[in-house]
Amino acid sequence: MSLKVRLGKRKPKSEGKAGRVDQAADPTYTSRSGYALVASQYEHWHWFQFWQRNEVPIVQRWASSLKPGLFLDAGSGTGLYRPVLEEAGHAVISADCSPEMLAVQAHRHPEAALVCADIRSLPFPPAYFEYVLCTRVLNHIQALDPVFSEFARVTKPNGELLISDVHPRHRYSDMSVPVNGERISIETFKHPREEIEAALVPSLQILGFEEFQLNNLHWKPPIQNFENIYDAPERPIFYVAVLRRV
């Protein structure tokens, strides 16, 4: 299979002017257009540090517990998890809808297998991967059914998947990243656990579902820039679900 990063910049026809969801003074962008704008600054964002310090250890433990195999990093972005998975002995193919985010990953990992693709329509044959990792992507997708159908299709029987995302009870309305003195807001969709479970196809089975609040974080961030965590410490911030392809 030929694996290439396609760097074309044509936006989907369904997007409005400049990929905006609305035309307000402070517009919210679709994920495709928004990540094109934030790619160069994404890893300087304070929330990127939060995920590095709190989500990475969870993925690291899980990946290290698995027999080496082929991973799909679905919605890989700039490639935070490529070295984590490779150090655990796995081969990795990264897929993301943003050529700009993949370009950052390609610069850092010139030999990496990268594919510009929508995770709702993956360009891989059935039962291609042993494992799937999908971190903080579902909240950019309105309807989850196509995602889980694709994950089930491309994962081998008895393969495992790890899904993590911002918890729907976390206090946020969109994703907002500072770029050159402005804030680029990217549309998000909140999915309660019941909605996630309803979207699963029969061949995907939940092995575990864990919620993380302020009191059980691996790293507690400073209050500055993270006020919405400390204002309501009892609210879950993110969740991690482990699934099996049966």
Side-chain angles (χ1 to χ4, degrees):
M1 178 178 293
S2 176
L3 301 174
K4 298 180 180 179
V5 180
R6 298 188 298 274
L7 296 179
K9 296 187 178 181
R10 184 180 66 177
K11 63 177 180 286
K13 293 181 179 179
S14 60
E15 295 181 5
K17 182 179 179 182
R20 295 178 179 182
V21 176
D22 59 64
Q23 301 301 310
D26 297 313
T28 299
Y29 291 85
T30 64
S31 57
R32 171 65 190 86
S33 296
Y35 278 108
L37 296 172
V38 307
S40 65
Q41 298 299 310
Y42 178 73
E43 294 186 359
H44 301 290
W45 184 36
H46 58 277
W47 274 98
F48 181 81
Q49 182 186 19
F50 177 91
W51 300 117
Q52 277 185 309
R53 303 286 289 273
N54 286 299
E55 186 184 69
V56 167
I58 297 167
V59 174
Q60 201 165 32
R61 286 194 299 270
W62 173 68
S64 297
S65 73
L66 302 172
K67 180 180 177 181
L70 179 59
F71 251 94
L72 171 63
D73 189 356
S76 64
T78 58
L80 173 63
Y81 285 108
R82 174 168 291 279
V84 173
L85 300 177
E86 291 179 340
E87 287 170 11
H90 304 288
V92 184
I93 297 177
S94 299
D96 199 282
C97 72
S98 170
E100 293 81 7
M101 295 286 277
L102 287 175
V104 175
Q105 186 175 169
H107 179 75
R108 186 176 294 126
H109 306 283
E111 303 302 318
L114 309 175
V115 178
C116 190
D118 189 320
I119 65 171
R120 294 168 291 189
S121 182
L122 292 165
F124 304 108
Y128 194 71
F129 298 94
E130 277 81 21
Y131 313 111
V132 174
L133 174 67
C134 184
T135 57
R136 290 165 284 109
V137 179
L138 298 189
N139 68 358
H140 292 308
I141 296 176
Q142 188 167 16
L144 299 182
D145 303 67
V147 176
F148 288 121
S149 292
E150 279 294 87
F151 286 175
R153 183 184 67 81
V154 302
T155 306
K156 294 180 180 180
N158 296 316
E160 287 193 17
L161 306 85
L162 186 146
I163 311 291
S164 74
D165 220 317
V166 182
H167 198 282
R169 290 184 59 202
H170 176 56
R171 294 175 58 190
Y172 76 108
S173 57
D174 55 39
M175 174 181 166
S176 183
V177 182
V179 178
N180 298 326
E182 299 182 11
R183 299 198 71 85
I184 303 299
S185 294
I186 302 174
E187 67 175 338
T188 59
F189 304 93
K190 297 188 176 187
H191 301 295
R193 178 174 177 173
E194 295 76 17
E195 183 182 340
I196 295 169
E197 292 178 345
L200 293 177
V201 296
S203 59
L204 292 179
Q205 177 185 77
I206 295 180
L207 298 179
F209 191 100
E210 188 171 2
E211 299 175 336
F212 292 84
Q213 302 166 307
L214 179 63
N215 64 1
N216 63 344
L217 292 178
H218 181 76
W219 173 75
K220 291 179 174 59
I223 295 176
Q224 185 178 6
N225 293 323
F226 294 95
E227 291 85 357
N228 60 348
I229 292 178
Y230 287 90
D231 288 349
E234 75 286 353
R235 288 177 179 264
I237 303 164
F238 69 101
Y239 69 85
V240 174
V242 176
L243 313 177
R244 174 175 292 156
R245 168 70 164 84
V246 297

